[in-house]
Amino acid sequence: MFDDLNRLAGWTLQTLPRYEPVLISDMEGADCSFLLHHFISAYLKADRRIVLVSLSQTFPHYAVAGSKASSVNLNRARQSGNIKFIDILSKSPDEYLFGKDGHILAKNLYSDVQRCVEEQGKELEGGVVVIDDLTNLLCVGCPREDVARLIQYLTALCKRHHCCLVTVIHRDIDDDDISLFDSCRIFFSYEITLKGLKSGHSKDVHGHLDFLRKVESPHGRTMYEHAPLQHYRVTDRRLQLFAPGTSNAVL
């Protein structure tokens, strides 16, 4: 679990997002996937339920990463029912991915998540649904409009069941004029964006982190609150955030 990110966002284990969906994205060579481990471990440590939907990685990958980064035992959590795992990767191509148009693919994925969420009922309240890589849906031929509609339905589903949605979009993969990120961001209350350094690789600074919170004004308008831009450095167990120009290499 990354304490610096919680401080930037104003979250604690008691105040993790309950209804407000979180969109994690990356661009310019950064990889934001490691942030999913933060949310998985944080909700587990807060004794909340998790639905983990795998479009990119296997469950053993998350189990090893959780043990290494946060000392959480995902295998035990799965056995106890605290984690429900929807394994899309193990489905046969004919069953799930290929030979179907995008609308059916998105509909089937929504049905799988809906079934899992509704089976848990009130036990999922305050928990989280994590989808590890929306961009993979584009890679298997699902149109951007169908993915955006899927997210619209999933955020509504999570809101009805009083749980949070967390997902990832890799923005460098999507080069359409209207990107998947642009189509989906309207449905999210928080955005965490990682950007690579234009100067190239550095062992002391891995990139920029931008945190955005959307709030509603007294007049019903959406307002955007940007946290100060952060540089970040990630290790096996820690995400370090610091103001640009204040890394140890500079000082």
Side-chain angles (χ1 to χ4, degrees), residues 20-25 39 134 151 165-169 171 180-182 184-193 210 212 214:
E20 308 94 347
V22 181
L23 177 59
I24 306 170
S25 68
F39 286 96
L134 281 179
I151 289 302
L165 173 69
V166 176
T167 192
V168 162
I169 292 177
R171 293 164 69 175
L180 179 61
F181 175 82
D182 292 328
C184 292
R185 66 183 305 194
I186 188 175
F187 305 115
F188 291 86
S189 301
Y190 297 102
E191 294 177 12
I192 304 173
T193 302
D210 186 35
L212 172 67
K214 300 175 187 176

Side-chain angles (χ1 to χ4, degrees), residues 83-95:
I83 289 182
K84 299 294 185 181
F85 185 61
I86 300 178
D87 187 3
I88 304 303
L89 289 177
S90 70
K91 292 180 179 288
S92 69
D94 291 337
E95 180 183 2

Side-chain angles (χ1 to χ4, degrees), residues 3-243:
D3 292 335
D4 282 6
L5 178 58
N6 283 342
R7 280 191 288 270
L8 182 70
W11 297 330
T12 67
L13 290 183
Q14 291 72 40
T15 61
L16 292 170
R18 298 179 68 92
Y19 312 105
E20 308 94 347
V22 181
L23 177 59
I24 306 170
S25 68
D26 54 36
M27 57 193 303
E28 298 175 7
D31 186 357
C32 66
S33 300
F34 70 91
L35 288 176
L36 291 177
H37 306 304
H38 164 76
F39 286 96
I40 293 170
S41 64
Y43 278 87
L44 276 182
K45 290 183 176 182
D47 199 25
R48 311 273 186 87
R49 291 291 184 98
I50 298 171
V51 175
L52 176 55
V53 184
S54 173
L55 292 166
S56 176
Q57 298 289 349
T58 63
F59 188 82
H61 164 82
Y62 289 105
V64 170
S67 175
K68 188 176 181 180
S70 302
S71 300
V72 295
N73 192 323
L74 268 65
N75 288 308
R76 186 181 303 160
R78 188 179 184 184
Q79 291 169 3
S80 66
N82 287 333
I83 289 182
K84 299 294 185 181
F85 185 61
I86 300 178
D87 187 3
I88 304 303
L89 289 177
S90 70
K91 292 180 179 288
S92 69
D94 291 337
E95 180 183 2
Y96 209 90
L97 295 179
F98 303 109
K100 297 182 178 181
D101 60 35
H103 171 73
I104 299 300
L105 171 57
K107 182 179 179 181
N108 286 353
L109 179 54
Y110 176 80
S111 296
D112 283 352
V113 177
Q114 181 186 35
R115 187 180 309 111
C116 186
V117 168
E118 292 181 346
E119 284 175 355
Q120 296 191 75
K122 290 189 176 182
E123 292 183 335
L124 189 59
E125 289 187 6
V128 63
V129 176
V130 177
I131 302 178
D132 66 4
D133 189 354
L134 281 179
T135 324
N136 270 1
L137 292 175
L138 298 181
C139 296
V140 297
C142 193
R144 170 181 51 81
E145 296 84 356
D146 288 351
V147 181
R149 192 175 298 113
L150 169 67
I151 289 302
Q152 180 182 5
Y153 292 160
L154 286 173
T155 52
L157 174 70
C158 290
K159 186 174 181 179
R160 287 198 307 272
H161 289 270
H162 307 292
C163 59
C164 178
L165 173 69
V166 176
T167 192
V168 162
I169 292 177
H170 298 296
R171 293 164 69 175
D172 287 343
I173 296 176
D174 183 13
D175 57 0
D176 287 348
D177 292 337
I178 301 176
S179 68
L180 179 61
F181 175 82
D182 292 328
S183 299
C184 292
R185 66 183 305 194
I186 188 175
F187 305 115
F188 291 86
S189 301
Y190 297 102
E191 294 177 12
I192 304 173
T193 302
L194 300 189
K195 299 179 182 179
L197 295 173
K198 292 183 178 180
S199 58
H201 175 74
S202 167
K203 69 176 184 178
D204 297 294
V205 181
H206 292 163
H208 306 278
L209 185 146
D210 186 35
F211 182 85
L212 172 67
R213 177 188 291 107
K214 300 175 187 176
V215 296
E216 189 172 309
S217 73
H219 305 291
R221 295 182 178 180
T222 300
M223 301 176 63
Y224 299 89
E225 296 182 352
H226 280 272
L229 182 67
Q230 302 288 303
H231 274 164
Y232 75 90
R233 181 174 183 270
V234 62
T235 63
D236 286 344
R237 288 183 170 269
R238 188 180 178 194
L239 172 69
Q240 296 172 274
L241 298 179
F242 42 87

